[in-house]
């Protein structure tokens, strides 16, 4: 372990904050490696040009804090290459969870995902910026919105099996992340419209979602229809939906579940019309009222203080 527990918690928190448009680097000190409560988590920012598409690459091994975790929508996407027993995902309001043996790709979601973990989980993965997966996909991101797909469906079974074999024989987490980085570099492709979407998304992120979408299309010199179409192709959602997600995520990270919360002040500061609007957004993103959300967060903090997964996933049990 290369960092103390406290330092590890701070770096994990900083990485999560990047999903809300923070300018804090994911790993200011050259990477994150932490063993927290039975979970080994290693993270690092990839080299250029991948760093313009990806927040970080990570390795995760250990016991999940809960058998089932709910992941509210976030302004980002991810890819998981599974190296252990299959996990399950229930997405988009589906009644039944689907099993994923080789891993999955998830573009920017609009609804919460429920993950079911085996007793011991092991994987490597990618936390993408919202526009990041488009440079590695052969289909529009909108086709995957709230519909996770297996790695095999994206890259083909032979390529996935070969990559899993190389990862399994690697000397350790850092070597595994290097192998993943090399695979992504090989698969990187030119993507039409990426500059427009990347710039506009960055403006949305910098404002934590508090932007007028009409002004964005004017500033970009394109019609609102064209901008929305490009976003759906490359991000999977419209600029308006992405802005909603950034605003919600920034609001959630502003909550200190350990202290008293003035919901009126919080809602007003985030730009919501009123508390009713704020409560509606909370239920839409988490399925919970704001007060119930805090109760669940406090449960996580109480039962698993300092856990590497604390901060965004919620217990689903």
């Amino acid at each position: 372990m290369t960092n103390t527990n406290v330092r590890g918690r701070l770096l994990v928190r900083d990485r999560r904050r990047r999903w809300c448009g923070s300018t804090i680097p994911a790993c200011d000190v050259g990477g994150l490696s932490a063993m927290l409560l039975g979970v080994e988590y290693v993270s690092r920012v990839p080299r250029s040009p991948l760093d313009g598409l990806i927040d970080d690459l990570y390795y995760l091994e250990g016991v999940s804090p809960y058998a089932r975790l709910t992941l509210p929508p976030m302004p980002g996407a991810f890819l998981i290459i599974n190296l252990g027993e299959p996990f399950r995902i229930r997405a988009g309001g589906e009644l039944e969870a689907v099993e994923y043996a080789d891993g999955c790709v998830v573009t920017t979601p609009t609804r919460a995902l429920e993950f079911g973990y085996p007793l011991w989980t092991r994987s490597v993965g990618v936390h993408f910026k919202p526009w990041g997966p488009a440079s590695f996909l052969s289909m529009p991101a909108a086709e995957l919105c709230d519909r996770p797909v297996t790695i095999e469906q994206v890259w083909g079974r032979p390529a996935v099996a070969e990559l899993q074999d190389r990862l399994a024989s690697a000397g350790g987490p850092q070597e595994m992340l290097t192998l993943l980085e090399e695979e992504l570099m090989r698969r990187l492709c030119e993507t039409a419209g990426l500059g427009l979407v990347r710039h506009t998304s960055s403006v949305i992120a910098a404002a934590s979602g508090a932007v007028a979408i009409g002004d964005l299309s004017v500033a970009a010199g394109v019609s609102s229809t064209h901008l929305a179409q490009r976003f759906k192709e490359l991000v999977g959602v419209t600029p308006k939906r992405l802005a909603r997600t950034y605003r919600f995520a920034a609001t959630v990270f502003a909550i200190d579940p350990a202290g008293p919360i003035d919901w009126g002040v919080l809602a007003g500061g985030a730009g919501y019309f009123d508390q009713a609007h704020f409560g509606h957004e909370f239920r839409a993103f988490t399925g919970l009222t704001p007060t119930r959300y805090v109760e669940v967060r406090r449960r996580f903090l109480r039962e698993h203080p300092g856990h590497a997964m604390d901060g965004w996933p919620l217990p689903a049990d």
Side-chain angles (χ1 to χ4, degrees):
M1 181 171 66
T2 61
N3 299 288
T4 65
N5 283 2
V6 172
R7 185 182 179 195
R9 288 197 294 271
L10 290 174
L11 287 170
V12 172
R13 182 191 64 191
D14 287 349
R15 179 185 58 74
R16 288 195 299 257
R17 288 182 63 188
R18 294 193 68 181
W19 288 335
C20 300
S22 170
T23 57
I24 297 175
C27 300
D28 284 331
V29 294
L32 163 64
S33 178
M35 177 68 77
L36 301 175
L37 300 177
V39 175
E40 183 178 10
Y41 187 90
V42 181
S43 170
R44 77 175 190 226
V45 177
R47 68 181 186 270
S48 180
L50 294 179
D51 58 349
L53 304 167
I54 293 169
D55 278 334
D56 71 334
L57 311 175
Y58 72 88
Y59 170 86
L60 176 68
E61 180 178 6
V63 179
S64 171
Y66 300 96
R68 294 187 299 124
L69 284 169
T70 296
L71 185 69
M74 60 184 173
F78 56 90
L79 174 152
I80 300 172
I81 298 177
N82 190 38
L83 301 173
E85 293 298 314
F87 56 84
R88 301 177 69 86
I89 303 177
R90 187 168 66 86
E94 295 293 331
L95 296 178
E96 299 294 332
V98 176
E99 185 173 275
Y100 293 80
D102 66 342
C104 66
V105 176
V106 175
T107 58
T108 302
T110 69
R111 306 179 71 174
L113 301 171
E114 182 184 288
F115 273 74
Y117 288 95
L119 181 62
W120 188 268
T121 186
R122 186 170 186 251
S123 62
V124 295
V126 182
H127 289 124
F128 287 106
K129 299 177 188 298
W131 58 87
S135 295
F136 306 94
L137 297 175
S138 59
M139 69 282 285
E143 293 184 10
L144 307 185
C145 184
D146 296 326
R147 291 189 292 273
V149 295
T150 66
I151 301 294
E152 178 180 343
Q153 289 173 286
V154 177
W155 288 348
R157 182 59 194 164
V160 174
E162 192 269 339
L163 177 58
Q164 286 178 311
D165 287 343
R166 286 191 288 124
L167 290 169
S169 62
Q174 290 294 348
E175 184 179 338
M176 295 169 79
L177 296 185
T178 297
L179 290 171
L180 178 58
E181 184 177 54
E182 291 172 350
E183 182 71 20
L184 292 167
M185 285 295 295
R186 283 194 294 269
R187 292 185 175 277
L188 182 63
C189 61
E190 293 291 330
T191 307
L194 184 64
L196 169 65
V197 171
R198 177 176 176 174
H199 173 75
T200 305
S201 297
S202 298
V203 173
I204 293 173
S208 297
V211 292
I213 303 304
D215 292 345
L216 295 177
S217 59
V218 172
V222 298
S223 69
S224 58
T225 300
H226 177 80
L227 187 64
Q229 181 180 357
R230 282 300 191 194
F231 262 74
K232 293 188 74 173
E233 289 174 354
L234 304 187
V235 178
V237 298
T238 65
K240 182 176 181 180
R241 180 71 203 200
L242 184 64
R244 280 180 62 193
T245 307
Y246 267 111
R247 179 169 62 175
F248 172 75
T251 305
V252 166
F253 286 127
I255 295 173
D256 178 7
I261 301 169
D262 188 325
W263 293 111
V265 171
L266 189 67
Y272 291 102
F273 300 131
D274 50 35
Q275 280 191 251
H277 181 211
F278 179 64
H280 179 270
E281 287 289 271
F282 240 93
R283 286 188 293 273
F285 278 95
T286 67
L288 306 171
T289 65
T291 52
R292 177 57 183 156
Y293 168 84
V294 171
E295 290 174 1
V296 175
R297 279 292 315 283
R298 286 172 177 166
R299 175 192 169 191
F300 199 126
L301 290 171
R302 182 176 64 252
E303 296 177 347
H304 300 281
H307 199 283
M309 291 185 177
D310 172 48
W312 195 253
L314 301 168
D317 298 329

